[in-house]
Amino acid sequence: MDANTLIADFLNILNQVKQALFSFLPKLAGAAFIFVIGYVVARLAKALVTRFIKKLHFLIPNQKIRLRVKSFIEEKPVAKIIGNIFYWILIFFFLTIATETLGFPVMTTWLSGIVGYLPRILTAVLIGILGVIGGVILRDLVTTAAASAGVLYSEVLGILVQSVVLLVTILIGVDQIGIDVTLIENIFVILIGALLFGAALAFGFGARSSVHNILASYYLQKIYKIGDTIKIGEKEGRIISITPLAV
């Protein structure tokens, strides 16, 4: 092979590289433009979502719940987390379009998988946040209602309700991500059933005397009325009131 042939082959290779480069530069410019647009859109969406989450409590009509949600959002980085998730969803979305423009099918497929998975994470996070807020609100409501009704250990009852709400929320959130939680759900159902059965037994044994008094009072009202005089053994008295539990 003489020198002229080598030079011709080298020039041919340079010409092919030049043509490939000239054909690739427009794609690179287009991909860069798409990514810049995506970055701007993602930053804007992040700012808007973060601002919306911080003002979300204004949409709640109930003042007590509104103050509770406001306090939770201010204490926890809820708005920042949701804003960042929206940001990365848009970043990966535009990055996928950019790689498709460049002609990188393997990278495009990989990024498409991430883009399809991120909304699941967002949904799981939203469910988790709603569960935490709902658990706190229900805990306060149950604790207040139980205390007003004179129920002992009202705070424990409120914490129990909150724990159940949180556990259910976690199961739903994990399921949204795509993790099979069938076994955990079955265990949870068994535990809840056992707790309810135990509570029913405790209530049944504890309220046995009350139920007996209620039934007795019901039948006594058909026989006696207020003002009647009754005698039991050596004791005698006049009926002044008949309640569901006593005469």
Side-chain angles (χ1 to χ4, degrees):
M1 183 179 293
D2 55 10
N4 292 330
T5 304
L6 289 174
I7 293 173
D9 290 341
F10 179 72
L11 292 176
N12 185 37
I13 293 173
L14 286 179
N15 186 47
Q16 292 178 359
V17 171
K18 181 180 69 174
Q19 291 179 356
L21 184 61
F22 284 159
S23 62
F24 182 73
L25 283 177
K27 295 181 179 180
L28 182 62
F33 177 75
I34 290 172
F35 182 75
V36 170
I37 294 297
Y39 175 77
V40 174
V41 172
R43 294 284 296 184
L44 180 61
K46 177 183 176 181
L48 292 175
V49 170
T50 303
R51 185 179 181 87
F52 174 76
I53 296 298
K54 289 181 178 180
K55 304 296 183 182
L56 185 62
H57 60 277
F58 287 112
L59 300 176
I60 301 175
N62 186 281
Q63 183 179 3
K64 188 174 182 179
I65 298 178
R66 181 170 64 248
L67 292 176
R68 173 63 70 177
V69 173
K70 179 183 178 182
S71 175
F72 180 83
I73 293 176
E74 290 177 350
E75 293 175 0
K76 308 294 182 182
V78 176
K80 184 178 180 180
I81 292 174
I82 298 178
N84 284 331
I85 294 177
F86 268 96
Y87 171 82
W88 285 110
I89 288 176
L90 291 172
I91 285 292
F92 278 109
F93 175 75
F94 281 95
L95 192 58
T96 302
I97 299 176
T99 55
E100 187 176 2
T101 303
L102 290 173
F104 298 155
V106 176
M107 185 174 291
T108 302
T109 303
W110 180 72
L111 289 173
S112 298
I114 296 178
V115 172
Y117 193 71
L118 284 177
R120 292 186 176 185
I121 297 178
L122 175 62
T123 303
V125 170
L126 291 176
I127 291 173
I129 292 172
L130 291 175
V132 172
I133 296 175
V136 171
I137 294 173
L138 284 177
R139 182 196 65 192
D140 294 344
L141 292 175
V142 170
T143 301
T144 303
S148 300
V151 177
L152 296 176
Y153 308 107
S154 56
E155 293 184 0
V156 176
L157 183 61
I159 293 174
L160 179 62
V161 171
Q162 181 186 16
S163 301
V164 171
V165 172
L166 288 177
L167 185 55
V168 172
T169 302
I170 291 172
L171 290 177
I172 296 174
V174 171
D175 183 65
Q176 284 293 321
I177 295 176
I179 301 176
D180 188 9
V181 292
T182 304
L183 178 61
I184 302 176
E185 288 178 349
N186 292 334
I187 295 174
F188 175 72
V189 170
I190 293 173
L191 289 175
I192 292 298
L195 287 174
L196 292 176
F197 180 71
L201 285 178
F203 177 79
F205 286 114
R208 183 171 53 185
S209 60
S210 297
V211 173
H212 176 76
N213 290 335
I214 290 172
L215 292 175
S217 176
Y218 172 76
Y219 288 107
L220 282 174
Q221 290 183 47
K222 293 186 175 182
I223 302 174
Y224 299 101
K225 62 181 182 296
I226 296 176
D228 289 347
T229 302
I230 61 174
K231 183 178 181 181
I232 301 176
E234 299 297 328
K235 295 182 179 181
E236 183 177 351
R238 187 169 57 88
I239 299 175
I240 58 175
S241 66
I242 302 177
T243 68
L245 297 176
V247 176

